[in-house]
Amino acid sequence: KNQLMTKEASMKIMQRCSMQTQCRTKEIQTIVQGKNANFRSVLKSNNEQQIQQQFNKLCLSILFLANTYTGAKFQNPPSEDDKNTLRSCAKFIIDMFPQLGQCELELIFQLAAAGKFNINLETYYGKFSVNFLGKLLTNYLTFRNKIILTYEKEKEKDQAKEQQQQAEEKNQRTKEQIIEKYRVLKQSFEELGVLPEFDDVQSFWAKILIDANIIHFTENEKKCIWEEAKAKTERIIKNEYCKASLTDRNKKNLRNLIKKISEGKQDNDFNSKAVIVYSKMLIIKSIYNEDD
């Protein structure tokens, strides 16, 4: 199913690309296919049999296309001179244009025959040369690069939309899970009178539950809870300082933090810790709030 969806999405991208470049969808499909299965990919396989098969197939393709679309007059079967020319052309393509794919070869000659490139397909006295082939492929490559650039830009847009949609779906699932966990804790308190511990809730739940209008406090209530949270945070820090397992460095950091608190100085580290405590207190207090 995912593979089918990918093909469908790719086809939609090609259709948009076709409208922007005035190029047929089928041509774009061939270009993309060639880009993904090019001569370089076979060379990288280091499979001598596949490389040789690719070379032989390329020679035959050049023979057929040159005789069909140009004024070339390769003999059938080819003479030794013809074979040497075909081998030189095939080697030239693999060495100088490995980014092309076998499936693109006929498209190249079709586009040239349709006048898409500034090149005359009538070869000089029927002689098909590497030089002529180089001009043809260079013209095509300019055309091809524009198509691929447009296609890749459209592909990136679709991928960004898909990633955004996946992120939104993940966020929604997370929200639903948090709301369900909160309701379980609330039900446990209502039925058994058991309040959750601080470790039973996560601070980031608070914003989700507030945005969902599941928990709510007045501004005055929030101010009071914030003051409680700061006092509780200070106690937590002092208790943490008394732990024997602390390293000397951590102990020094906590000592400096406690000093700042006692002097009434603002501290980002303390405020961050207090916000976490505050968020958890909002959740826990909302569970036994009779007006909730």
Side-chain angles (χ1 to χ4, degrees), residues 177-235:
Q177 291 169 357
I178 289 169
I179 291 171
E180 180 59 28
K181 288 178 181 178
Y182 174 83
R183 285 175 176 160
V184 170
L185 293 174
K186 179 102 174 173
Q187 185 177 2
S188 177
F189 172 73
E190 290 173 349
E191 294 178 357
L192 305 174
V194 178
L195 273 174
E197 300 291 337
F198 252 53
D199 291 340
D200 294 334
V201 298
Q202 299 294 323
S203 58
F204 71 91
W205 292 9
K207 185 179 186 310
I208 293 172
L209 295 170
I210 290 172
D211 289 345
N213 201 32
I214 292 175
I215 66 175
H216 35 78
F217 292 93
T218 65
E219 289 304 315
N220 285 334
E221 287 173 333
K222 288 179 181 178
K223 288 179 182 179
C224 291
I225 296 172
W226 173 242
E227 293 302 322
E228 286 185 52
K230 288 195 292 184
K232 186 175 182 65
T233 304
E234 186 175 349
R235 291 196 298 273

Side-chain angles (χ1 to χ4, degrees), residues 59-286:
C59 288
L60 291 174
S61 295
I62 296 170
L63 170 64
F64 169 76
L65 294 170
N67 279 347
T68 302
Y69 289 93
T70 78
K73 297 176 182 178
F74 287 118
Q75 297 179 19
N76 191 11
S79 65
E80 283 303 315
D81 285 345
D82 290 341
K83 288 180 181 178
N84 289 334
T85 300
L86 292 170
R87 291 191 192 102
S88 296
C89 287
K91 187 176 186 304
F92 174 72
I93 291 175
I94 291 174
D95 289 345
M96 304 305 296
F97 297 89
Q99 68 270 49
L100 300 179
Q102 178 75 34
C103 63
E104 294 179 83
L105 294 179
E106 186 166 7
L107 174 62
I108 295 170
F109 284 85
Q110 286 177 346
L111 292 171
K116 298 290 186 180
F117 311 139
N118 185 25
I119 189 169
N120 184 3
L121 287 183
E122 291 297 323
T123 57
Y124 188 72
Y125 292 114
K127 294 295 183 181
F128 190 87
S129 66
V130 170
N131 183 50
F132 172 81
L133 182 61
K135 292 179 181 178
L136 177 61
L137 296 182
T138 300
N139 274 269
Y140 170 72
L141 207 59
T142 302
F143 170 85
R144 179 187 193 258
N145 288 342
K146 292 178 181 177
I147 299 297
I148 290 176
L149 180 62
T150 304
Y151 176 82
E152 291 297 332
K153 284 183 177 179
E154 291 300 313
K155 184 179 177 182
E156 287 176 5
K157 289 180 184 177
D158 278 18
Q159 288 175 337
K161 288 180 181 177
E162 184 179 355
Q163 289 173 356
Q164 182 179 358
Q165 183 179 352
Q166 290 175 349
E168 290 173 354
E169 290 174 354
K170 183 179 179 181
N171 288 339
Q172 183 59 34
R173 288 194 300 270
T174 301
K175 289 177 183 178
E176 291 171 356
Q177 291 169 357
I178 289 169
I179 291 171
E180 180 59 28
K181 288 178 181 178
Y182 174 83
R183 285 175 176 160
V184 170
L185 293 174
K186 179 102 174 173
Q187 185 177 2
S188 177
F189 172 73
E190 290 173 349
E191 294 178 357
L192 305 174
V194 178
L195 273 174
E197 300 291 337
F198 252 53
D199 291 340
D200 294 334
V201 298
Q202 299 294 323
S203 58
F204 71 91
W205 292 9
K207 185 179 186 310
I208 293 172
L209 295 170
I210 290 172
D211 289 345
N213 201 32
I214 292 175
I215 66 175
H216 35 78
F217 292 93
T218 65
E219 289 304 315
N220 285 334
E221 287 173 333
K222 288 179 181 178
K223 288 179 182 179
C224 291
I225 296 172
W226 173 242
E227 293 302 322
E228 286 185 52
K230 288 195 292 184
K232 186 175 182 65
T233 304
E234 186 175 349
R235 291 196 298 273
I236 291 172
I237 292 171
K238 289 178 178 179
N239 290 336
E240 186 73 17
Y241 178 76
C242 295
K243 289 184 178 178
S245 58
L246 280 178
T247 62
D248 291 341
R249 182 178 180 179
N250 288 338
K251 210 170 184 66
K252 180 181 178 182
N253 290 337
L254 287 176
R255 185 166 58 248
N256 291 335
L257 183 56
I258 292 170
K259 182 180 179 183
K260 286 182 180 180
I261 295 170
S262 64
E263 294 173 352
K265 294 181 180 179
Q266 291 291 327
D267 185 83
N268 291 333
D269 187 24
F270 174 78
N271 286 334
S272 297
K273 293 177 184 296
V275 167
I276 293 174
V277 174
Y278 169 71
S279 299
K280 290 189 175 189
M281 288 180 69
L282 286 176
I283 298 168
I284 295 173
K285 282 182 176 291
S286 69

